[in-house]
Amino acid sequence: QIRLTLTEGVLLVSFALLLGASNIVIGILAAIPSLAQLLQVPSIFLVEKYHERKKINLITTCLNRLALLLMALVPFIAESAAGLLLLVLAVFLQATFVAIGSPGWNSWLRDLVPQDRLGSYFSKRLSLSTAVGVPVSLLAGVFVDLWALQNSSAPLIGYSILFLVAILSGVIGVYYVYKIPEPKMSTPDSKRTFREMVTQPFHDENFGNLMRFSFVWTLSTALAAPFFSVYLLSQLGLNVPSAIIFTVLTQVASIIFFRLWGRLSDRYSNKSVLQVTVPMYMVGVLLWTFTTLPSYHLFTIPLLLIIHALTGISSAGVVLTSGNIGLKLAPRGE
């Protein structure tokens, strides 16, 4: 979580803007992780061929950390256009290795966690990781701001220091992944071709509904979400610590509600939680349009506080329950 917090979100956007990134570049940086998910398809072949989910995940995780090193070197190698190109390459490499390792990791988790406790387990896991992100976000925001004040000629170096901390945290994380036991992977009754494995989910009506929901949900959120940080930093003129405070508000709201959504999903259903949280999230997105209508006004900051609280509450439910539905629908070992 420390690694993710220091290399994504507001800090990544702020770093890119300092390098002179345009809205197009910010859009590319936001699109790369989603585009890289296509690499999960060939990764399925690796998992099914070798049945070594842990080994595949450890290798891809280590390579991901090496890609982070490229991010840390950006300010020392080049600035402006060349620096942006290196940053895009670093983000692409990270996303590539994450995508290749994901099928094995998801299958591994599916076999580890009892099905009747998916809601409570993942809500606790997400709550703890988000709780770690809160102080890390605040400290990182204050650090880059103070560094820029003390080192106005080299503000980008402050981000390099944060990226190096992220690499160290990521390496420690690899050790703990190594310590997780891996249940023996189940094998299908009949030998299937790779094409049959890949197309099987499309023939399952319930899984098809989940994929269609994921498609429209991702489309609706990805259109605007990457530019919320740009909006705060560029349009409203907030500094990095101020922008991070809003992010922290979202995280705190998520922490509070992860447990509630987890209990409700186990007691009732994941779908009932989704029916409440998806409309709530969309109301939050709609409210962004009123923060500067027609310009910055007295209610801009209060509106931003409401928006980030709503986003944290609702996204906690959507992330938790949509993930749980996918794990429940997927056959064990697949």
Side-chain angles (χ1 to χ4, degrees), residues 59-312:
I59 292 170
T60 54
T61 304
C62 289
L63 292 171
N64 172 277
R65 284 17 171 199
L66 285 175
L68 269 178
L69 185 60
L70 187 59
M71 277 180 71
L73 294 175
V74 167
F76 300 99
I77 296 174
E79 291 189 20
S80 199
L84 281 171
L85 188 61
L86 282 172
L87 178 61
V88 169
L89 176 62
V91 172
F92 172 76
L93 290 173
Q94 287 179 72
T96 295
F97 296 127
V98 168
I100 294 172
S102 288
W105 173 253
N106 291 333
S107 172
W108 184 4
L109 277 185
R110 170 70 174 81
D111 288 357
L112 272 176
V113 184
Q115 181 147 323
D116 61 343
R117 283 188 282 152
L118 284 174
S120 58
Y121 171 76
F122 282 104
S123 64
K124 182 178 180 181
R125 182 173 178 263
L126 289 166
S127 295
L128 288 170
S129 62
T130 308
V132 170
V134 170
V136 173
S137 296
L138 288 171
L139 289 171
V142 171
F143 173 77
V144 294
D145 216 39
L146 290 175
W147 179 275
L149 287 173
Q150 298 294 324
N151 304 273
S152 56
S153 60
L156 291 170
I157 305 299
Y159 290 88
S160 286
I161 294 170
L162 292 182
F163 296 153
L164 288 172
V165 173
I167 294 168
L168 178 61
S169 302
V171 170
I172 294 170
V174 172
Y175 168 76
Y176 286 106
V177 170
Y178 174 75
K179 301 289 284 185
I180 301 172
E182 181 188 9
K184 187 175 180 181
M185 193 172 166
S186 61
T187 54
D189 296 331
S190 58
K191 192 72 176 175
R192 296 171 301 167
T193 65
F194 179 63
R195 182 178 179 179
E196 287 171 336
M197 283 189 292
V198 172
T199 57
Q200 183 186 354
F202 294 93
H203 301 303
D204 184 298
E205 184 181 355
N206 285 329
F207 211 89
N209 287 332
L210 175 64
M211 287 191 286
R212 282 186 282 275
F213 164 76
S214 297
F215 175 84
V216 294
W217 170 258
T218 304
L219 177 65
S220 61
T221 54
L223 277 173
F227 297 96
F228 290 153
S229 295
V230 178
Y231 183 74
L232 292 173
L233 295 168
S234 299
Q235 301 299 315
L236 297 183
L238 299 182
N239 57 20
V240 175
S242 299
I244 284 178
I245 287 172
F246 286 111
T247 303
V248 166
L249 175 60
T250 302
Q251 293 171 330
V252 170
S254 292
I255 292 167
I256 295 169
F257 278 83
F258 270 132
R259 299 290 182 90
L260 173 64
W261 299 137
R263 287 196 300 270
L264 290 174
S265 66
D266 283 338
R267 184 175 178 181
Y268 299 106
S269 71
N270 289 293
K271 195 163 73 171
S272 61
V273 173
L274 276 177
Q275 287 169 337
V276 174
T277 53
V278 170
M280 190 186 299
Y281 185 91
M282 291 306 159
V283 169
V285 174
L286 178 64
L287 289 176
W288 277 97
T289 61
F290 299 100
T291 54
T292 52
L293 192 66
S295 59
Y296 190 99
H297 51 74
L298 183 64
F299 297 104
T300 295
I301 298 300
L303 263 178
L304 287 172
L305 293 172
I306 293 170
I307 289 166
H308 282 82
L310 273 177
T311 301

Side-chain angles (χ1 to χ4, degrees), residues 36-53:
Q37 297 310 307
L38 292 171
L39 292 170
Q40 288 198 37
V41 176
S43 178
I44 296 168
F45 177 78
L46 290 175
V47 174
E48 292 290 340
K49 181 176 174 63
Y50 298 106
H51 284 208
E52 294 278 359
R53 296 173 294 185

Side-chain angles (χ1 to χ4, degrees), residues 12 16 21-36 84-85 87-89 91-92 95 222 226-227:
L12 176 61
S22 63
N23 284 334
I24 292 174
V25 174
I26 298 295
I28 290 170
L29 291 172
I32 285 171
S34 296
L35 184 63
L84 281 171
L85 188 61
L87 178 61
V88 169
L89 176 62
V91 172
F92 172 76
F227 297 96

Side-chain angles (χ1 to χ4, degrees), residues 311-332:
T311 301
I313 294 167
S314 56
S315 61
V318 176
V319 170
L320 175 68
T321 54
S322 59
N324 285 349
I325 291 172
L327 289 173
K328 281 189 172 183
L329 290 178
R332 187 171 290 276

